[in-house]
């Protein structure tokens, strides 16, 4: 599971993490769920089918950690824990 967003800041600047991520994962199977766009932000969850190949999984994890605010990699436990989760690219502790 990944949480990623685009945001329009009051300064007029934009954070385009979602727009930047989607082309990078275009070769993967994924679904996207989102909140209603408020005009200021849209919070989006991206669920990506994990590759079975460990090298492809590591490449995907690196890509997600570059663009997403939160990433959780399925490790067989069925849980989101500090061992399989990252916030802003850093392992959750």
């Amino acid at each position: 599971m990944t949480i990623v967003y685009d945001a329009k800041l009051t300064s007029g600047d934009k954070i385009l993490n979602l727009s930047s991520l989607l082309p990078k994962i275009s070769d993967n199977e994924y679904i996207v769920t989102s909140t209603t766009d408020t005009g200021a932000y849209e919070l989006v969850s991206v669920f990506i089918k994990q590759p079975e190949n460990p090298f492809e999984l590591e490449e995907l994890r690196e890509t997600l950690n570059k663009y997403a605010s939160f990433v959780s990699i399925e490790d067989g436990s069925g849980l989101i824990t500090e061992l399989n989760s990252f916030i802003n690219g850093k392992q959750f502790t």
Side-chain angles (χ1 to χ4, degrees):
M1 179 180 87
T2 300
I3 298 175
V4 63
Y5 58 88
D6 283 352
K8 299 171 195 163
L9 306 177
T10 56
S11 65
D13 292 335
K14 295 179 182 180
I15 298 171
L16 299 174
N17 294 343
L18 175 62
S19 298
S20 299
L21 174 66
L22 292 179
K24 303 287 186 193
I25 62 170
S26 63
D27 290 338
N28 299 84
E29 292 181 51
Y30 64 91
I31 59 171
V32 176
T33 62
S34 67
T35 62
T36 302
D37 188 346
T38 65
Y41 67 90
E42 183 175 6
L43 185 62
V44 175
S45 295
V46 180
F47 297 88
I48 304 167
K49 182 177 179 182
Q50 288 186 198
E52 292 183 26
N53 180 307
F55 297 109
E56 291 175 2
L57 179 58
E58 179 61 20
E59 184 178 304
L60 177 60
R61 185 190 65 79
E62 289 175 4
T63 298
L64 295 176
N65 279 332
K66 183 175 180 179
Y67 296 101
S69 299
F70 178 81
V71 174
S72 182
I73 304 293
E74 174 58 50
D75 62 0
S77 70
L79 301 172
I80 295 175
T81 70
E82 68 276 359
L83 300 175
N84 64 7
S85 300
F86 303 83
I87 295 177
N88 295 324
K90 301 206 179 354
Q91 185 125 26
F92 184 65
T93 57

